Amino acid sequence: MADEVTMDTLFGNFGVEIKSASVVENSRVAVEWSDGSATSLYPMLMLRDCCPCEKCFNPVVNSRLILFEHLLESSCSVSQLSYETDCVNIEWLDGHQSVYSTEWLYRRRLEREAIEKRLESVYTAVVDTPWTGSTPSEIIKSAKYDEILSDPQKVVEFTECMIKDGVFVIREAPDRHCLVEFLKTIGAKHQGTHYGDSEWVIKNIPTSKDLPNSSKKLELHIDMPYLAKPQQLQLLHCLIQSEDGGENKLSDALKAALILKEKKPDYYRLLSTVEVDFQFIKKYKENNTGSSVTEPLSYKKILKLDSLLFVEAWFEAFRYYWKILESNAIFIKSQPGDILAFNNGRVMHAREAFNSQQARQLEGVYAEWDYLLSAWRMAKVKLSKQVANGHC
Ligand SMILES: [Zn+2]
């Protein structure tokens, strides 16, 4: 369990002792610290609920064993309390005994500052921030594929850029089929769909009726809005790029929404409150299955509105929003070896038309925030261990 990730891992060395502990107001335990920190108060119910003894908690699998039926009033009152410099001992009214180490208590202090520090070790302080730059180089950060795989600091940067900007470019990736492995290696995970469970391919097939596999222009869009839970992150690996055209257009829907809110609050209210239902439509065939993609696809928007006037107003608002998206879009042309990673729920993507006689091929996968944030936490732990071992 040496590499176990816990909220305690990132706090560094621990040298604080308990000066005193006592029951206050019949429902709380107060602890005074040797380092001069403010006296900490803990609700008795919380202490009983989080009892670390082996009847209540299994440390091998980090799992609670205590049941809620053990948290009745009669069980959650302190009968006796004693303390030493390194622990607080509590005997509860029902006879159950709990021992809380100094470290355990100190790291679960409920003072605002302590809570914030604890949250920093679990959640990044970075938040999604609308684009302020107007060119790709001002907006999109990048790193080499091998750097991200070998340097946890680069995993942290990659993840934080994905959160803040919603977009990142990974350069110099291997030839093909590397996306699933890449995510796995950094501690994240790809997400399969009805298109398959590994990398899917977008390529120029001149005879294809399927728009993505043609050389035609693709409008700004997000992928799979028709799913109950649309794909969260997308990685597009450029294998072959057409010589003429084929640029990707990207636009920050968050930035556009804030501009809309400022300029046309009524439109903003309409678009942000009216639910639009997208449907995935496939011609019926006896052998259709969830993974069969044998027919040209089409998408249909269903507006859950109940009047002609409302539908007209919605389309007016949507057209205005679309103009903002277009006028704030940037263009980038991926080169073979580039992986364009973006937040599918925020950064809308499009493709310019290209010469239908030229080859163009991409591979893609989807991924989820939970696993990327897990990779971020793993990388933070590795970095803190490097600092502790004097590697930095
Ligand atoms: Zn216990």
Side-chain angles (χ1 to χ4, degrees), residues 47-48 50-57 66 92 96-100:
L47 289 178
R48 183 66 192 90
C50 299
C51 173
C53 87
E54 60 187 29
K55 284 185 193 153
C56 298
F57 187 77
I66 187 171
W92 303 94
H96 189 81
Q97 310 244 354
S98 302
V99 180
Y100 304 92

Side-chain angles (χ1 to χ4, degrees), residues 4 29 31 52 59 67 97 124-125 136 152 189 192 200 215 221 235 238 245 257 261 276 291 294 324 336 372 386:
E4 182 188 2
V29 170
V31 177
L67 303 173
Q97 310 244 354
T124 158
K189 191 162 89 67
W200 35 263
S215 58
H221 65 284
L235 281 77
C238 177
K261 191 177 184 182
V276 178
S291 61
T294 54
I324 299 173
L372 185 59
Q386 283 178 5

Side-chain angles (χ1 to χ4, degrees), residues 286-304:
E286 282 296 337
N287 64 354
N288 268 1
T289 70
S291 61
S292 143
V293 190
T294 54
E295 294 290 335
L297 310 178
S298 64
Y299 307 103
K300 189 167 77 172
K301 267 181 281 195
I302 299 175
L303 300 177
K304 292 186 173 172

